Amino acid sequence: MKKIILLLAFLVSFSTFSQDDLDVDGIKIKKTIKVRDTGGKTKLYLNGYGIRDKMWINLYVQALYLTKKTNNPDEILDSDETIATRLYVTSSLVTREKLIKAIEEGVEKSYKGDISLIRERLNKFMSFLNPLPKKDM
């Protein structure tokens, strides 16, 4: 009987670690994704994620995907590789307008060069932000 319980415990723990999703604040985040780019389909790996909160309210979860994992921010910023980010809004406090303003401010703080050089790409990125749902998820 002990052997059966140990076997079941092992199988349950093994299946937990081999899942394709990671649960973050109730959001299922894929550990890998495939995206279409100029080279066809590229497999990207979850490099990290973060939860944005304000006054004890979780606003959104953001995940960063890269072709290979790294802890070096300069390597990420200087890379010519395909990257992706996914944003999961978890609160009705986040509106499209507030999100665009926050992204603009974040890029201005972190971008080292002349922001006008990336303005067209930034505007294209912002155009993908659809209106957000009116209710909490």
Side-chain angles (χ1 to χ4, degrees), residues 14-131:
F14 180 74
S15 67
T16 301
F17 290 112
S18 65
Q19 293 179 355
D20 291 336
D21 293 343
L22 185 65
D23 188 295
V24 177
D25 196 36
I27 303 295
K28 300 287 186 208
I29 297 178
K30 296 279 186 199
K31 291 181 182 176
T32 62
I33 61 173
K34 287 188 178 179
V35 296
R36 287 188 199 158
D37 56 13
T38 55
K41 284 192 176 180
T42 300
K43 185 174 184 178
L44 300 176
Y45 301 90
L46 178 64
N47 193 68
Y49 62 87
I51 299 172
R52 172 70 167 116
D53 61 9
K54 191 170 194 174
M55 297 189 62
W56 308 287
I57 299 172
N58 292 345
L59 301 175
Y60 58 81
V61 176
Q62 188 168 14
L64 175 66
Y65 295 88
L66 306 173
T67 55
K68 63 179 178 140
K69 292 184 178 186
T70 180
N71 290 328
N72 184 339
D74 290 327
E75 186 177 328
I76 296 169
L77 293 172
D78 295 337
S79 173
D80 289 332
E81 298 288 327
T82 299
I83 66 170
T85 184
R86 290 207 171 156
L87 186 70
Y88 304 90
V89 176
T90 59
S91 171
S92 62
L93 296 174
V94 179
T95 64
R96 182 178 190 271
E97 294 75 24
K98 288 179 183 177
L99 185 59
I100 287 174
K101 182 180 177 186
I103 292 170
E104 289 272 354
E105 289 173 358
V107 169
E108 286 175 7
K109 285 181 184 177
S110 62
Y111 190 69
K112 297 175 185 172
D114 181 5
I115 200 163
S116 66
L117 300 174
I118 62 165
R119 174 56 54 198
E120 186 177 326
R121 290 173 48 198
L122 188 57
N123 289 343
K124 183 175 181 177
F125 171 74
M126 300 294 190
S127 74
F128 292 114
L129 299 175
N130 297 324

